[in-house]
Amino acid sequence: MENILEVKNLKKYFPIKKGLLLKEVGQVKAVDDVSFSVRKGETLGLVGESGCGKSTLGRALIRLYEPTSGQVQFQNQNFLDIQGAELRKVRKDIQMIFQDPYASLDPRMTVGQILSEPFDIHGIGTTEERKKSVMNLLETVGLKPSHINRYPHEFSGGQKQRICIARALALEPQLIIADEPVSALDVSIQAQILNLMKDLQAKFKLTYVFISHDLSVIEHLCDRIAVMYLGKIVEIAPRDELFSNPQHPYTQALIAAIPRIGEGKKKMKKSLHGEVPSPINPPPGCPFHPRCSQKLDRCSQALPELKNHKQGAEHKTACWLYEK
């Protein structure tokens, strides 16, 4: 299967400035040398604790944040080199669904105006054609065409997220980056939105990069999973392989922390201790070693490479435990 997206050595550092002259005194290494690929038609999950750089990575992929360095190959062209009208043209094919549907919809605009905006920006269709397209989009995501003149405050949280999904679909994109699209919703509504996204993926042959801190959501939706910690990918594998054979100690701890029926408050053997280190001053060597119960001497001295440790296996881990 061909790759629709290839990311190589991507970095996004935010400068820290102080003083009257706003002199740069440091950097927040939010995304630090990340490489991965996304195949056409699949759902790649990005998972990790809050503050690990997942959302920053998603926004850097779509250039809402301009990356500090690295490459993003989208449909065999370097997305980071494109500017102006050409960038606008390519952006039709890569869209984003944001975490908070309450904040991502303009309260002064009707649903019809919100969903017409992508067509206005790209100069697509007449007024009548746009209205027809908007009504079709509303039906596609399970809303009524009669809702076209309502304002966002008249909808529930789940309905607002359906509007956000409709807006992302408006220009018939190839790739959608979904940044925690169900975390702000009730659990009963989450399942409806996830099932809607699966149905839309099958119907429109979409590719997803799905960002979440919830492994049970990731397990339900994703084909492959990349685990992030402190701005780096520490493990990437197909879903079933990752859940049956997690290799990195951080992944093992995340999976052990998933609530299971009948276990109550039983203490997990691989539970995490301590806090995520600051991305301003990450620890030397493996970023996870200060919290790792299986660490070796070399873990604090050198950074492990993300690679396959079994021949032929499609399972990459950045961990010294598996080096011969």
Side-chain angles (χ1 to χ4, degrees):
M1 196 183 295
E2 66 174 303
N3 292 332
I4 191 172
L5 185 75
E6 288 189 35
V7 180
K8 295 177 183 175
N9 308 113
L10 192 70
K11 295 181 181 180
K12 177 57 187 174
Y13 295 171
F14 294 98
I16 302 168
K17 297 181 179 180
K18 283 187 178 179
L20 288 172
L21 300 176
L22 295 177
K23 184 180 178 183
E24 188 174 317
V25 295
Q27 291 179 317
V28 178
K29 297 179 178 179
V31 177
D32 194 9
D33 202 20
V34 164
S35 299
F36 64 94
S37 61
V38 184
R39 296 164 190 155
K40 200 163 188 175
E42 79 166 348
T43 302
L44 177 76
L46 282 175
V47 70
E49 290 172 281
S50 295
C52 71
K54 309 182 300 294
S55 294
T56 303
L57 175 56
R59 289 166 184 250
L61 293 178
I62 201 171
R63 287 180 66 182
L64 289 178
Y65 294 147
E66 285 293 338
T68 304
S69 64
Q71 281 190 323
V72 178
Q73 291 279 133
F74 177 62
Q75 292 183 326
N76 298 318
Q77 55 183 326
N78 193 346
F79 186 52
L80 303 186
D81 287 344
I82 302 169
Q83 301 295 336
E86 185 64 22
L87 175 60
R88 180 178 292 185
K89 186 179 175 183
V90 175
R91 271 219 170 113
K92 285 171 59 179
D93 290 331
I94 180 168
Q95 295 290 317
M96 191 159 189
I97 302 168
F98 295 94
Q99 178 175 357
D100 186 359
Y102 302 87
S104 60
L105 297 174
D106 190 332
R108 298 164 298 177
M109 295 172 71
T110 65
V111 169
Q113 291 169 331
I114 289 168
L115 297 184
S116 293
E117 198 171 28
F119 302 117
D120 297 340
I121 290 168
H122 291 274
I124 297 170
T126 62
T127 303
E128 195 57 41
E129 286 170 341
R130 290 173 189 175
K131 185 176 179 180
K132 189 176 178 182
S133 296
V134 167
M135 295 176 90
N136 287 336
L137 282 168
L138 288 170
E139 283 192 295
T140 300
V141 298
L143 295 174
K144 295 176 182 176
S146 58
H147 291 161
I148 193 168
N149 293 318
R150 290 191 185 182
Y151 288 87
H153 74 268
E154 299 178 69
F155 295 91
S156 68
Q159 288 174 320
K160 283 191 181 86
Q161 197 59 290
R162 288 173 188 267
I163 295 166
C164 294
I165 292 169
R167 179 176 58 187
L169 288 174
L171 299 173
E172 300 178 5
Q174 301 290 312
L175 173 67
I176 291 180
I177 297 165
D179 182 12
E180 302 255 20
V182 296
S183 64
L185 306 176
D186 291 341
V187 174
S188 58
I189 306 300
Q190 286 184 10
Q192 295 176 21
I193 298 299
L194 291 174
N195 290 332
L196 172 65
M197 290 183 70
K198 287 184 89 167
D199 292 342
L200 293 172
Q201 183 175 34
K203 184 175 181 180
F204 296 109
K205 296 181 172 60
L206 297 170
T207 305
Y208 291 141
V209 174
F210 191 94
I211 300 165
S212 179
H213 66 275
D214 189 337
L215 266 170
S216 54
V217 169
I218 288 279
E219 185 179 15
H220 176 72
L221 195 72
C222 299
D223 302 303
R224 285 191 305 137
I225 300 168
V227 181
M228 283 193 74
Y229 186 79
L230 207 63
K232 296 182 181 293
I233 290 178
V234 297
E235 186 165 3
I236 185 166
R239 176 190 57 204
D240 295 341
E241 167 71 15
L242 188 91
F243 278 90
S244 63
N245 181 30
Q247 293 184 350
H248 199 280
Y250 180 58
T251 312
Q252 293 169 1
L254 289 180
I255 291 173
I258 299 173
R260 290 177 177 83
I261 294 169
E263 291 191 352
K265 294 182 179 179
K266 190 170 92 175
K267 187 172 174 60
M268 300 298 178
K269 291 180 181 177
K270 296 187 174 77
S271 59
L272 279 174
H273 301 283
E275 299 292 328
V276 180
S278 170
I280 298 170
N281 186 25
C286 172
F288 186 63
H289 86 262
R291 304 173 72 190
C292 184
S293 60
Q294 305 174 56
K295 63 186 174 189
L296 309 170
D297 290 341
R298 69 192 305 189
C299 296
S300 61
Q301 297 162 7
L303 181 68
E305 184 185 346
L306 182 69
K307 63 180 182 180
N308 290 324
H309 293 282
K310 279 185 183 177
Q311 196 147 6
E314 196 192 351
H315 191 155
K316 293 183 178 180
T317 313
C319 186
W320 289 121
L321 294 172
Y322 302 95
E323 294 287 345
K324 291 181 182 177

